[in-house]
């Protein structure tokens, strides 16, 4: 079981610094495997009071930069590996490759991972062609 060492944490919305602990809870994060062994990080997370009285949010959970994201069950490194597998192979084939990489994941999770990725940047075409064979007879 691991925990953070910072005494004060900033609220993610209003950036007010707080050290008043509301409660703690455990998180389990899957990380990239080491050798043939899967890695599971057990983290104790604090829930703190927000010191900003003008802000409606009363409590917030601390996040470890580079390790946790809100509602995430995987580290960013493990998520990047799964994103690469999901984009390359997709559902069932990606699930089989992830099993070889010692990461158990379902095909639907891989498809949701692809759907959650932002769209790639694209440029506006300079020339647009029209296919003459695609129009119906008599319609222009």
């Amino acid at each position: 079981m691991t925990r953070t060492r910072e005494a004060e944490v900033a609220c993610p919305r209003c950036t007010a610094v707080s050290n008043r602990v509301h409660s703690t809870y455990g998180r389990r994060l899957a990380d990239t495997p080491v050798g043939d062994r899967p890695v599971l990080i057990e983290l104790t997370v604090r829930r703190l009071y927000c010191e900003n009285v003008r802000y409606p949010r009363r409590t917030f959970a601390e996040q470890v930069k580079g390790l946790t994201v809100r509602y995430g069950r995987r580290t960013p490194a493990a998520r990047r590996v799964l994103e690469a597998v999901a984009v390359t192979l997709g559902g069932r084939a990606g699930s089989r490759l992830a099993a070889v990489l010692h990461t158990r994941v379902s095909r639907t999770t891989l498809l949701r991972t692809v759907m959650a990725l932002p769209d790639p940047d694209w440029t506006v075409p300079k020339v647009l062609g029209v296919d003459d064979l695609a129009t119906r007879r008599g319609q222009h």
Side-chain angles (χ1 to χ4, degrees):
M1 201 68 140
T2 58
R3 63 178 12 174
T4 59
R5 296 174 68 182
E6 290 88 19
E8 296 181 333
V9 180
C11 177
R13 292 280 178 106
C14 66
T15 66
V17 178
S18 175
N19 62 356
R20 292 179 44 215
V21 177
H22 176 273
S23 60
T24 60
Y25 64 94
R27 285 183 73 174
R28 296 173 61 163
L29 301 167
D31 199 8
T32 54
V34 175
D36 288 344
R37 302 291 227 168
V39 175
L40 184 69
I41 299 171
E42 293 186 2
L43 181 66
T44 300
V45 179
R46 296 179 297 175
R47 190 154 196 79
L48 296 111
Y49 289 102
C50 183
E51 300 293 336
N52 190 351
V53 294
R54 289 179 274 150
Y55 190 65
R57 175 183 250 173
R58 299 284 183 242
T59 63
F60 64 94
E62 69 178 333
Q63 300 295 328
V64 180
K65 187 171 183 163
L67 185 65
T68 61
V69 293
R70 286 183 69 187
Y71 304 110
R73 295 184 179 195
R74 291 183 179 83
T75 62
R79 193 183 74 241
R80 283 191 300 271
V81 169
L82 285 181
E83 286 172 355
V85 168
V87 167
T88 305
L89 294 176
R92 287 194 177 118
S95 178
R96 288 192 297 267
L97 178 63
V100 171
L101 297 174
H102 303 288
T103 304
R104 295 191 63 191
V105 66
S106 70
R107 62 186 174 87
T108 55
T109 300
L110 287 175
L111 294 176
R112 273 187 269 119
T113 302
V114 171
M115 296 300 288
L117 289 173
D119 291 333
D121 293 333
W122 57 278
T123 59
V124 177
K126 294 180 181 177
V127 178
L128 185 63
V130 177
D131 187 5
D132 294 331
L133 300 175
T135 60
R136 289 186 181 177
R137 183 182 300 166
Q139 294 185 2
H140 302 287

